[in-house]
Amino acid sequence: MTGFKRKGAVVMLRVDQLKKSILIKNFLVAISVTIFVLVGSLIWTRFYSVENSTAHFEKIDLAFRNFLDTFNTLVSHHDEELEDYIRANLPLAKELIGNLNKNEALENIKKQLSQTILYSIPNVFVDIDIGLLNTKGEVLNATGYLATVKNIGFKPTVYSTNSISVLTGFVPGTSRMVKYLWLQLSETEYLLFMLYLNPRLYEGFVKGLANLSAGNVSEIAIYVDYENRLDTSKKIADPIIAEGFKDQYLKKDWPKSIFYKAYVFSSHGELTVPIYLKVVFDFRKVLFYVLTYLVAFILTVVIFTLFSTQETLKPLASDLNKLSIAVREIGNTGTLPPAGNFNLVETQEFYETLSAILQELSATMEELEATNQELMRSYDEIRLKSEEFKRLLVNISEKLAIIAEGYDENTGQHIYRVKHLSKLIAEKLNLSEEKIEEINMFASLHDIGKIFIPKEILLKPGKLTPEEWEEMKKHTIYARRILDVPGFETALNIALYHHENYDGTGYPFGLANEEIPTEAQIVKIVDVYDALRSDRPYKKGMTHEEALEIILKGDGRTLPSHFSPKILEVFKENADEIRETWEKLR
C-alpha cells in the first residue's frame, strides 16, 4: 500500500507540472491570436479608411462638378447680352481712349458701362473695372482694384478681328470671381472689361460644402490657386497644389487621407482657369474605437484563457486519478475498471478533429499555391503585352514622322538621323534612362506639324514670301493638334519648342534659357547640324567640319548663342562620334 501511495503522489506532481505547461502554452496561443487579430484589425481599418474616403470623395466630387456646370451655365447666360452692351459702347470707348488721358477715358467708359450693365443685370454683376493690357497680360492703365494688379495671369488672345473674348476667372492674388471680356485695340494693346460676379451666386454652395460633416470628412477646401481659397478670405498655402499635380492626387498621411482634384473652372481657346478641391478625411475616431475594441478583446482572451485552461484540465486530471485507482486495483484484484470510466475518448476525438482541420488547411494552401502560379502567368502576359505596345508606339511615331517629312525629303533618313543623334547627346548629358528613351522615341516627331502646312508652300522651289514664312513657322504650333494628348508630353515639347533659341530670338514664343525644355534644346542643335550637312534642291550639303564651324562660331544666320552652352559643349566634345553616327545613317 505504501508503494502505491508514493506512485499516486508522483502522478499528482506530474499533473501540476502538466497544468503549468498547458497554461503557459495556452497563454502563448492566446497572445499569438491577439497579435493576429490586432494586425488584422489594423489592416481592415486601413482598408476601410481608403474605401470609405474614396466613396465619400466621389459623392463630393459629383456635387462639386454639378455645381461648376450649373454655375458656368448661369454666368454664361448673359454673355451675348454683355457683348451687345460692349459693342454698343465700343465706338465711344475708342473715341475716349484716342482723345482723352487714358486713365480718364477708362473711368468714363467704366461709368457708362456700369450704368448699363449693373442696372440691367444686378443679380449677376456687382462692379466693373476697365483696363488696357499689353500682349503679355500686363496692366498698362486701369480703374479701381485692377489698377493695383501688375499682370492678369494670362496672355489675352483673340481669334478673329473685332471679336470679343470671354473667360470666367479670379482676380489675380484673390479668390474673387470675375468675368473677363477683352478685345484687341491694336497690335500691342487690348481693352479689358473685368466684371465682378455677385458672391451670392456661389458663396452659399461654397459655405455649405466647406461645412459638410459627412462620414469622416474633417475639412473641405476649394483653392483657386496654391494659396487663395474660395471658402475663406485667409491665404493658406498648400504645397501639394503649389507643386502641381494632374487631375487627381491622394496623399496618405495615416490616420488621415487627403484627396486633391483639379477641375477646369472655365476655358477660352487654349486658355484655361483651374480650380482645386481638397478633402481631408480623419480616421482617428475610427482608430480609437478599434483600439478600444482590441483592449477589451485582449482582456477577454486573457481571462478566458485562465479559466478555460483550468476547466479543460479537470477531465484530464480525473482520467489520471482514475488511472491511479486502476493501477491500485490491479495490485489488489488484478483487474482493470471498465474502459467507459475514462474520458480519453474525447481527447482522441479532439485529435481526429484537429487532423481534419489540418487536412483542410493543407488543401487550402495547395489552392493558394495554384492561384499564385496563375497570377504569375498573368503577370508575364501583361508584361509581354506592355512591351509589344511600346514597340508599336515607337513604330507608329516613326511612321507619322515620315509622313510629316514626306513633303521635304525623298526618304525618311532625316528623321532617323535626328532620332539617333538626339539620343546620343541625351546619353552624353547623363539624362535619366526614362528621358533618354522618350527622346529616342519622340525626336523623330519634331516636324510633325508640317502635315498642316499647305503643300504649295512646302514644295515652293524659291524663297518664301514673309506671309508664307510666317505660315511655315506655324508648323510648331500645329503639332498640338496631334501631340496634345496624355503620354506625348515630351513629343509635344520637342515639336513645339525645337525652333526656340537659347538667347530668346527663336519662335514661336521667343522663350529663352531654361524656359526651353531640355529635349527641345537637344533636337534643335541636331536639326541644325543635319540641315547644314544635308543636300537640298537649293544647296549642296556641307562637310562635318564646315557644319561644326558654323555651329560653334556662327555665320550670321546661325549663332552659338542660339544653343544651350552646356549642350553646345557636349556637341563639341563628341563631334567625332556625331560625325561617324551621321555618316552611318546618311
Side-chain angles (χ1 to χ4, degrees), residues 14-51:
R14 289 176 179 172
V15 169
D16 289 340
Q17 291 175 341
L18 184 59
K19 283 184 178 182
K20 183 178 180 180
S21 176
I22 293 177
L23 184 61
I24 292 174
K25 290 180 180 180
N26 282 349
F27 268 115
L28 291 174
V29 171
I31 292 172
S32 300
V33 171
T34 301
I35 293 174
F36 175 78
V37 172
L38 174 64
V39 172
S41 298
L42 292 177
I43 292 175
W44 175 85
T45 304
R46 192 68 177 268
F47 175 78
Y48 165 78
S49 68
V50 173
E51 293 295 315

Side-chain angles (χ1 to χ4, degrees), residues 135-152:
T135 57
K136 296 180 180 179
E138 297 172 343
V139 179
L140 305 176
N141 302 90
T143 66
Y145 183 83
L146 184 58
T148 66
V149 176
K150 294 182 179 180
N151 193 300
I152 60 173

Side-chain angles (χ1 to χ4, degrees), residues 5-6 66 97 105 138 150 196 201 231 246 283 317 330 382 384 405 434 487 490 501 550 556 568 581-582:
K5 288 180 180 179
R6 287 177 180 174
N66 289 337
I97 293 173
E138 297 172 343
K150 294 182 179 180
Y196 297 86
L201 295 175
D231 56 302
K246 296 181 180 178
F283 293 91
I330 291 173
I382 292 173
L384 292 175
E405 296 290 346
E434 181 181 0
T490 297
N501 291 335
I550 290 176
L568 197 61
T581 303
W582 191 92

